[in-house]
Every structure is written in C-alpha cells, then in structure tokens.
Short mmCIF file of all heavy atoms in Angstrom, two decimals:
data_model
loop_
_atom_site.label_atom_id
_atom_site.label_comp_id
_atom_site.label_asym_id
_atom_site.label_seq_id
_atom_site.Cartn_x
_atom_site.Cartn_y
_atom_site.Cartn_z
N ALA A 1 -16.88 29.47 -24.50
CA ALA A 1 -15.45 29.46 -24.21
C ALA A 1 -15.12 28.94 -22.82
O ALA A 1 -14.03 28.48 -22.55
CB ALA A 1 -14.91 30.88 -24.38
N CYS A 2 -16.09 29.04 -21.92
CA CYS A 2 -15.93 28.49 -20.58
C CYS A 2 -16.34 27.03 -20.48
O CYS A 2 -16.33 26.43 -19.38
CB CYS A 2 -16.79 29.32 -19.56
SG CYS A 2 -16.18 31.00 -19.31
N GLY A 3 -16.69 26.44 -21.60
CA GLY A 3 -17.04 25.02 -21.62
C GLY A 3 -18.41 24.68 -21.10
O GLY A 3 -18.66 23.56 -20.70
N ILE A 4 -19.32 25.65 -21.17
CA ILE A 4 -20.65 25.48 -20.65
C ILE A 4 -21.63 25.47 -21.82
O ILE A 4 -21.55 26.32 -22.71
CB ILE A 4 -21.05 26.61 -19.67
CG1 ILE A 4 -20.07 26.69 -18.52
CG2 ILE A 4 -22.46 26.43 -19.14
CD1 ILE A 4 -20.19 27.90 -17.68
N PRO A 5 -22.58 24.52 -21.90
CA PRO A 5 -23.59 24.55 -22.98
C PRO A 5 -24.37 25.88 -22.96
O PRO A 5 -24.79 26.35 -21.91
CB PRO A 5 -24.49 23.37 -22.62
CG PRO A 5 -23.64 22.45 -21.79
CD PRO A 5 -22.73 23.37 -21.02
N MET A 6 -24.50 26.46 -24.14
CA MET A 6 -25.12 27.79 -24.23
C MET A 6 -26.59 27.75 -23.71
O MET A 6 -27.06 28.77 -23.18
CB MET A 6 -25.10 28.29 -25.65
CG MET A 6 -23.69 28.69 -26.12
SD MET A 6 -23.67 29.40 -27.78
CE MET A 6 -24.06 27.96 -28.73
N SER A 7 -27.24 26.61 -23.86
CA SER A 7 -28.62 26.51 -23.41
C SER A 7 -28.75 26.57 -21.88
O SER A 7 -29.87 26.80 -21.39
CB SER A 7 -29.25 25.22 -23.93
OG SER A 7 -28.53 24.09 -23.44
N ARG A 8 -27.67 26.37 -21.20
CA ARG A 8 -27.74 26.31 -19.76
C ARG A 8 -27.78 27.69 -19.10
O ARG A 8 -28.33 27.88 -18.01
CB ARG A 8 -26.55 25.53 -19.20
CG ARG A 8 -26.64 25.21 -17.70
CD ARG A 8 -25.53 24.28 -17.30
NE ARG A 8 -25.62 22.98 -18.04
CZ ARG A 8 -24.67 22.03 -17.94
NH1 ARG A 8 -23.63 22.20 -17.17
NH2 ARG A 8 -24.81 20.90 -18.61
N ILE A 9 -27.22 28.68 -19.78
CA ILE A 9 -27.17 30.04 -19.24
C ILE A 9 -27.61 31.01 -20.31
O ILE A 9 -26.85 31.28 -21.26
CB ILE A 9 -25.73 30.45 -18.74
CG1 ILE A 9 -25.22 29.46 -17.70
CG2 ILE A 9 -25.73 31.85 -18.18
CD1 ILE A 9 -23.83 29.71 -17.23
N ARG A 10 -28.78 31.51 -20.21
CA ARG A 10 -29.35 32.39 -21.22
C ARG A 10 -28.98 33.83 -20.97
O ARG A 10 -28.79 34.28 -19.81
CB ARG A 10 -30.88 32.29 -21.23
CG ARG A 10 -31.42 30.90 -21.57
CD ARG A 10 -31.16 30.53 -23.01
NE ARG A 10 -31.84 29.28 -23.38
CZ ARG A 10 -31.74 28.73 -24.59
NH1 ARG A 10 -31.05 29.34 -25.53
NH2 ARG A 10 -32.40 27.57 -24.85
N PHE A 11 -28.88 34.61 -22.06
CA PHE A 11 -28.61 36.05 -21.94
C PHE A 11 -29.77 36.75 -21.26
O PHE A 11 -30.91 36.60 -21.65
CB PHE A 11 -28.35 36.63 -23.29
CG PHE A 11 -28.26 38.15 -23.31
CD1 PHE A 11 -27.02 38.77 -23.10
CD2 PHE A 11 -29.39 38.95 -23.48
CE1 PHE A 11 -26.92 40.15 -23.09
CE2 PHE A 11 -29.31 40.33 -23.50
CZ PHE A 11 -28.05 40.95 -23.30
N THR A 12 -29.45 37.56 -20.26
CA THR A 12 -30.48 38.40 -19.64
C THR A 12 -29.80 39.73 -19.19
O THR A 12 -28.83 39.68 -18.42
CB THR A 12 -31.07 37.75 -18.38
OG1 THR A 12 -31.64 36.48 -18.73
CG2 THR A 12 -32.15 38.63 -17.74
N HIS A 13 -30.25 40.83 -19.75
CA HIS A 13 -29.60 42.10 -19.41
C HIS A 13 -29.64 42.32 -17.91
O HIS A 13 -30.66 42.20 -17.27
CB HIS A 13 -30.34 43.27 -20.10
CG HIS A 13 -29.77 44.60 -19.67
ND1 HIS A 13 -28.68 45.15 -20.24
CD2 HIS A 13 -30.16 45.45 -18.69
CE1 HIS A 13 -28.41 46.32 -19.65
NE2 HIS A 13 -29.29 46.51 -18.69
N GLY A 14 -28.44 42.69 -17.39
CA GLY A 14 -28.33 43.01 -15.98
C GLY A 14 -28.11 41.87 -15.01
O GLY A 14 -27.86 42.08 -13.85
N GLN A 15 -28.20 40.61 -15.55
CA GLN A 15 -28.04 39.48 -14.66
C GLN A 15 -26.58 39.37 -14.21
O GLN A 15 -25.65 39.72 -14.96
CB GLN A 15 -28.46 38.18 -15.30
CG GLN A 15 -27.50 37.60 -16.38
CD GLN A 15 -27.91 36.24 -16.81
OE1 GLN A 15 -28.64 35.53 -16.17
NE2 GLN A 15 -27.45 35.87 -18.03
N VAL A 16 -26.36 38.91 -12.99
CA VAL A 16 -25.03 38.68 -12.47
C VAL A 16 -25.06 37.27 -11.87
O VAL A 16 -25.90 36.96 -11.00
CB VAL A 16 -24.66 39.67 -11.35
CG1 VAL A 16 -23.28 39.35 -10.76
CG2 VAL A 16 -24.66 41.11 -11.93
N GLN A 17 -24.20 36.43 -12.35
CA GLN A 17 -24.13 35.07 -11.81
C GLN A 17 -22.69 34.57 -11.84
O GLN A 17 -21.84 35.04 -12.61
CB GLN A 17 -25.03 34.12 -12.58
CG GLN A 17 -24.76 34.03 -14.07
CD GLN A 17 -25.83 33.19 -14.76
OE1 GLN A 17 -26.03 32.04 -14.40
NE2 GLN A 17 -26.54 33.78 -15.73
N THR A 18 -22.40 33.60 -10.94
CA THR A 18 -21.08 33.03 -10.87
C THR A 18 -21.06 31.72 -11.61
O THR A 18 -21.87 30.85 -11.39
CB THR A 18 -20.71 32.80 -9.38
OG1 THR A 18 -20.76 34.03 -8.66
CG2 THR A 18 -19.28 32.24 -9.27
N LEU A 19 -20.10 31.62 -12.54
CA LEU A 19 -19.97 30.44 -13.33
C LEU A 19 -19.25 29.32 -12.53
O LEU A 19 -18.62 29.61 -11.51
CB LEU A 19 -19.16 30.75 -14.61
CG LEU A 19 -19.73 31.80 -15.52
CD1 LEU A 19 -18.83 32.00 -16.73
CD2 LEU A 19 -21.15 31.44 -15.94
N PRO A 20 -19.31 28.06 -12.98
CA PRO A 20 -18.61 26.99 -12.27
C PRO A 20 -17.13 27.21 -12.08
O PRO A 20 -16.53 26.72 -11.11
CB PRO A 20 -18.91 25.77 -13.15
CG PRO A 20 -20.19 26.09 -13.84
CD PRO A 20 -20.14 27.58 -14.07
N ASN A 21 -16.50 27.96 -13.01
CA ASN A 21 -15.09 28.24 -12.85
C ASN A 21 -14.79 29.39 -11.90
O ASN A 21 -13.60 29.80 -11.77
CB ASN A 21 -14.45 28.45 -14.24
CG ASN A 21 -15.07 29.67 -14.93
OD1 ASN A 21 -15.89 30.41 -14.40
ND2 ASN A 21 -14.64 29.88 -16.20
N GLY A 22 -15.82 29.98 -11.30
CA GLY A 22 -15.64 31.06 -10.33
C GLY A 22 -15.76 32.45 -10.88
O GLY A 22 -15.81 33.43 -10.13
N LEU A 23 -15.80 32.59 -12.20
CA LEU A 23 -15.88 33.92 -12.84
C LEU A 23 -17.35 34.46 -12.63
O LEU A 23 -18.30 33.73 -12.73
CB LEU A 23 -15.62 33.86 -14.31
CG LEU A 23 -14.18 33.68 -14.71
CD1 LEU A 23 -14.10 33.64 -16.25
CD2 LEU A 23 -13.31 34.83 -14.20
N VAL A 24 -17.42 35.76 -12.39
CA VAL A 24 -18.69 36.45 -12.34
C VAL A 24 -19.06 36.86 -13.78
O VAL A 24 -18.27 37.54 -14.43
CB VAL A 24 -18.63 37.67 -11.43
CG1 VAL A 24 -19.94 38.51 -11.55
CG2 VAL A 24 -18.44 37.26 -9.99
N LEU A 25 -20.23 36.45 -14.25
CA LEU A 25 -20.68 36.78 -15.58
C LEU A 25 -21.81 37.83 -15.48
O LEU A 25 -22.81 37.58 -14.80
CB LEU A 25 -21.15 35.58 -16.34
CG LEU A 25 -21.77 35.79 -17.71
CD1 LEU A 25 -20.69 36.26 -18.68
CD2 LEU A 25 -22.41 34.49 -18.25
#
C-alpha cells in the first residue's frame, strides 16, 4: 500500500524501520 515491493522489506518481529515516505513501520 506504500508502493514498495514486498521483497524489499521482509517481515521481522520487533523490527522498527522508517519507510521512504517517512512512516515508522
């Protein structure tokens, strides 16, 4: 939904990262 290929950001429990649009995921 953020327009990012799913393969680029894998699910990892507890991870915190900032997406290119500035949202913290």
